[in-house]
Amino acid sequence: MMGQHPQILLLFCALFLLASSSSSFASAKIVEHSFHVQNLTVTRLCQRQIITTVNGSLPGPTIRVREGDTLVVHVLNKSPHNITIHWHGIFQILSVWADGPDYVTQCPILPGKSFTYRFNVTGQEGTLWWHAHVAMLRATVHGALIIRPRPGRSYPFPKPHREFPIILGEWWNANIMDVENEALASGGAPNNSDAFTINGKPGRLYPCAANQTHKIRVVKGRTYLLRIINAAVNNQLFFKIANHKMIVVGVDAAYTNPYVTDVVVTGPGQTVDVLLKADQPPALYYMAAHAYASAAGVLFDNTTTTGIVEYEHATSSTPKMPILPDFNDTATAHKFYTNLTALVSSPFWSPIPQNVDEHMFITIGLGLVPCGGATNSTCAGLFGQRMAASMNNESFQLPTKMSLLQAFFENMGGIYTTDFPDKPPLVFDYTNVSNSFNQGLLMTTKSTKVKKLKFNSTVEVVLQNTALIGIENHPIHLHGFNFYVLAQGFGNYNPVKDRKSFNFENPQERNTIAVPVGGWAVIRFRANNPGIWVMHCHLDTHLPWGLATAFAVENGPTESTTLPPPPPGYPKC
């Protein structure tokens, strides 16, 4: 019969494909939110403080979408500050106008103004977050962004009984804008935070905080998914739960092979998904976090934040406390970071591109720029100069006349140059601490230099830490892409010896890499998304100091790989 009526068979196949396609489109939704950015008076650590929040809460609202959805967020700036919102880790495929970093992809939303961010969430599942990308406002303007599988697709691990966002943050007993402005005016570092927080609450170990402790309730025998987000401004953090182990199943919205650990380490900007099995006697158990402070001799916030895991039918009202690693336990941090591997059977995994088009060797670290001002003026930085930071001795300076992206789209000159160097101007013993105060190496210059990339080129970057002024672990975040972490280690990168340790089989994918203290990391990514994408240190002290650069990715050969024009209401300077 089919041989007699081939048209009927073809019609049937066409209808089947159309129905399948319609089902796929039907599963994607438009998820819409309104963000009212405004000041709020709260009480923490025995005193009242004015902070900037979204919708009157700290953290701000949790956004939940499914992969494939379109997210629309109307931002109304009712605060006295300029504002932008960055959707940390979202690829923003052909929607770079919505990425959010101020003066990179847009100019700020001014007080009393508004802007609507609209973008598709595709090719990612897991935990990301959103935050302000102006000054240090992200300390209180942030929230979780959770991407669940689309209908018909499940997690690549047993479905948890429940999910809990765990957002780790910092708290200052001061106006956060004053903290930053004082540091910028003096040329020195900002004051350290006064506390850490879990979901905006400091926990019982701080004064006046007995009733400001985040609590999650569990049932013995059940498994829970904790979505851990480091929203701290300037600190990497160790996180533990008393008497419990955790299984890492994802980082930065990319699935990992299950990794069993009793401690999680996160740098600012990073996320970690863990499964927690409630397998202990019914009781109360502290979850706790404190700093991983890798820089020797530098003052830091040495306090500890706590939350509580409370079992149903708990028999004790006194929570058990975990033993956290020492503040400078680099061995534990490195073990955690290097034991993570990708789950290659996950739906969005793709093999590592083997042929590299662009090789870059980028030194990262601190430095100095002249104090400026009056002839005899001095600043609070080393040798009376102003603190700075740089990549390849170029200290990145944001434009103010228009965003980098607008200049890129309009082919406007005079805003940036495309001569960011592929290697540092001087080869030296990068991690030798005897060079820490070598004045011949410390001085840098301000510039707005980017690296131009051809569409779909493969880029390999060696990120080399330096010991200049201070030697520490740097969390480096790349906008617009995930990258493969091929290897990481200590000392100066050796291209002959260290390439032998590259993982081409299942390297972890991330959008933020913690470059080891006094060490290096090698990352690789494909530049398949046109636009301007900033790469910067996610320590907020280091971004205004200039520890950043940007990639200008050219348009592809077709309309579907060409950057569209800016959306209506796009904020210009």
Side-chain angles (χ1 to χ4, degrees), residues 33 71 144 148 231 472:
H33 287 262
L71 182 59
R148 293 197 175 95
E472 64 180 318

Side-chain angles (χ1 to χ4, degrees), residues 122 170 387 402 408 505 562:
T122 186
E170 280 179 281
M387 292 295 296
M402 66 169 57
F408 170 84
E505 180 182 349
T562 298

